[in-house]
Amino acid sequence: MRQTITSWGNLGPVDHDVETPGFRDEAAPLMAALTTRVGTVLAHGLGRSYGDSALNGQGGLLITRRLDRCHAFDHADGVLRADAGLSLAELHAITVPRGWFVAVTPGTKFVTLGGAVANDVHGKNHHVAGTFGHHVRALGLRRSDGTLRICAPDSDPDLFHATIGGLGLTGLIEWVEIQLQPITSSDMEVENIRFDHVDRFFDLAAESLDWPYTVAWVDCLSQGASLGRGVFSRGRHAAAGPLAAKAGGPRLAVPLTPPFSLLNGPTLRAFNAAYYNRPGATFAGRCHFDGFFYPLDGVHHWNRVYGPKGFYQYQCVVPPHVARDAVRDLLTRIAASGTGSCLVVLKNFGDRPPAGLMSFPMPGTTLALDFPNHGTRTLDLLADLDRVVDAAGGRLYPAKDARMPSRLFQAGYPALAAFKRHIDPAFMSDFWRRMGQAPHGTDQAGSEQA
């Protein structure tokens, strides 16, 4: 059936030929049917990718959100195997009451296991735990020739490492087996520290290496002596307490898309000033993990506040030796533009080797923020930021991207040539087309039934 799909950035609707299997044994025949009808296919989970990495406008989408069964859960060792469409929210309902939590989580729990693998998502604890892919024990990958490849670090390792962070292009991830981490409470011990300049962020990060989770919110419009002022947060799982999968309290919602963006210069300055000066900007205490990891999940359809034209998210990482200067430069240019968002994240990555050939994290500092779509003015600003990232030897995150130049993508991912050998010939995305990577090579001829 034909269906219009948009990314989380709401930059424009894209028509697809869509199939939605309800059970895992339906996925392969429906994938084959899509490929026969329209030539190419791509898996699509809960739609939280910001750009076009989960869209395939010239082909088909296999919607995986109903593939959400748990196959097995070892309560003693914390090993879970489940369909790739299981979300982290659904996983928490199974594991948290039994004292287990995902080893790495992104900033939303509304992401599927397959999406977490395909984008090799990272969290606030990269310096101690790496990425999601570092905790994947095995996965089942359905190729378009019908074969099922059982991939693990010691079984089909090349395809395994290509699939982690592989943007869904190596085939359909049918199931994932992961190692969880033990917890003794669903509460977090948290400290928030207000800082008055971005240089202080780097000092606080260096002082907080014994905290497993660290991140900072930054006021992207502050300038001069207050450039990059913000709030540094660090946390750890509480030693004892309840094991509740959900926090209490009502969930808010943005009921409709307003006719214009609600985030403009005056509203953004007012919000940032209020957030920086709020009492909670200096805090030491406990909260449920929902409030620490997923604050935006408490607002349903928050992406609508950017209006009908949508927004671009920009997430980059720059190496440690130039991070202070590069981040200062990026924030200076953003503040001078007078645009940006109230959702600005700054954190450090550790030096753990990547889990996948195309994994985004590398040693250094990552900055992420949203920009309302004002057309050419916004694109010119992002191109200006690209120049800083490129000069610093950094890279952009494909899961967040909707406009990076292919040259910057190719320069930022040195394993690209090796990765392309593992792409399934029937799998394609709008991102991959935009990067000028089609047609592509494959190792499929050498595949065999697992």
Side-chain angles (χ1 to χ4, degrees), residues 30-233:
L30 288 177
M31 180 178 73
L34 276 174
T35 304
T36 299
R37 288 202 305 266
V38 292
T40 62
V41 67
L42 187 71
H44 184 94
L46 292 174
R48 290 304 177 106
S49 294
Y50 287 73
D52 52 5
S53 63
L55 301 177
N56 183 29
Q58 297 180 29
L61 279 188
L62 192 76
I63 306 298
T64 64
R65 63 178 63 119
R66 293 172 60 192
L67 306 178
D68 57 0
R69 279 75 172 180
C70 181
H71 305 178
F73 177 32
D74 186 329
H75 300 181
D77 295 332
V79 175
L80 179 140
R81 179 181 290 198
D83 287 349
L86 186 77
S87 72
L88 294 190
E90 294 162 333
L91 181 147
H92 291 158
I94 299 168
T95 66
V96 169
R98 295 169 174 84
W100 295 95
F101 194 75
V102 285
V104 171
T105 179
T108 176
K109 60 180 178 288
F110 301 120
V111 59
T112 64
L113 294 182
V117 172
N119 294 287
D120 195 18
V121 297
H122 56 272
K124 299 175 175 65
N125 60 342
H126 185 273
H127 62 292
V128 296
T131 59
F132 192 88
H134 285 111
H135 307 276
V136 175
R137 291 165 50 99
L139 55 89
L141 186 73
R142 182 73 63 177
R143 304 281 279 184
S144 63
D145 65 357
T147 58
L148 180 67
R149 304 277 287 268
I150 308 301
C151 304
D154 57 356
S155 172
D156 215 343
D158 292 343
L159 188 56
F160 177 77
H161 293 294
T163 300
I164 292 175
L167 304 172
L169 296 170
T170 63
L172 172 66
I173 302 171
E174 287 194 355
W175 56 262
V176 182
E177 182 178 287
I178 59 173
Q179 176 65 60
L180 303 166
Q181 64 167 319
I183 58 172
T184 50
S185 175
S186 53
D187 284 349
M188 304 290 296
E189 295 177 359
V190 178
E191 288 186 5
N192 291 341
I193 305 168
R194 186 187 290 122
F195 59 90
D196 59 5
H197 190 276
V198 68
D199 281 349
R200 181 61 178 144
F201 159 80
F202 290 95
D203 298 335
L204 287 167
E207 297 165 8
S208 303
L209 294 178
D210 56 334
W211 289 77
Y213 301 101
T214 59
V215 69
W217 167 85
V218 171
D219 179 355
C220 66
L221 296 187
S222 56
Q223 302 184 63
S226 298
L227 178 72
R229 68 178 183 174
V231 179
F232 187 92
S233 297

Side-chain angles (χ1 to χ4, degrees), residues 9 11 24 40 60 80 109 137 156 183 201 214 268 276 310-311 327 345 385 397 406 411 416 437 441:
L11 289 167
R24 188 157 38 97
T40 62
L80 179 140
K109 60 180 178 288
R137 291 165 50 99
D156 215 343
I183 58 172
F201 159 80
T214 59
L268 184 56
Y276 179 76
F311 67 99
V327 171
V345 175
L385 302 182
Y397 192 13
S406 60
L416 179 60
Q437 298 301 319

Side-chain angles (χ1 to χ4, degrees), residues 406-443:
S406 60
R407 181 194 59 77
L408 186 58
F409 174 66
Q410 294 173 36
Y413 291 86
L416 179 60
F419 167 70
K420 289 167 69 173
R421 294 196 292 269
H422 301 285
I423 296 176
D424 187 295
F427 279 69
M428 179 54 64
S429 71
D430 287 353
F431 172 84
W432 202 243
R433 288 190 191 91
R434 182 164 55 84
M435 291 301 104
Q437 298 301 319
H440 44 239
T442 179
D443 72 344

Side-chain angles (χ1 to χ4, degrees), residues 219-264:
D219 179 355
C220 66
L221 296 187
S222 56
Q223 302 184 63
S226 298
L227 178 72
R229 68 178 183 174
V231 179
F232 187 92
S233 297
R234 54 196 186 191
R236 59 170 60 98
H237 294 281
L243 286 168
K246 294 182 179 180
R251 189 179 176 198
L252 304 176
V254 180
L256 50 81
T257 301
F260 53 85
S261 174
L262 300 180
L263 294 178
N264 51 47

Side-chain angles (χ1 to χ4, degrees), residues 372-408:
N373 178 19
H374 297 305
T376 301
R377 178 160 62 98
T378 303
L379 294 174
D380 288 347
L381 171 61
L382 299 182
D384 190 34
L385 302 182
D386 286 347
R387 287 186 278 272
V388 177
V389 174
D390 191 19
R395 61 172 65 135
L396 303 186
Y397 192 13
K400 303 290 183 71
D401 177 66
R403 37 63 53 201
M404 87 164 95
S406 60
R407 181 194 59 77
L408 186 58

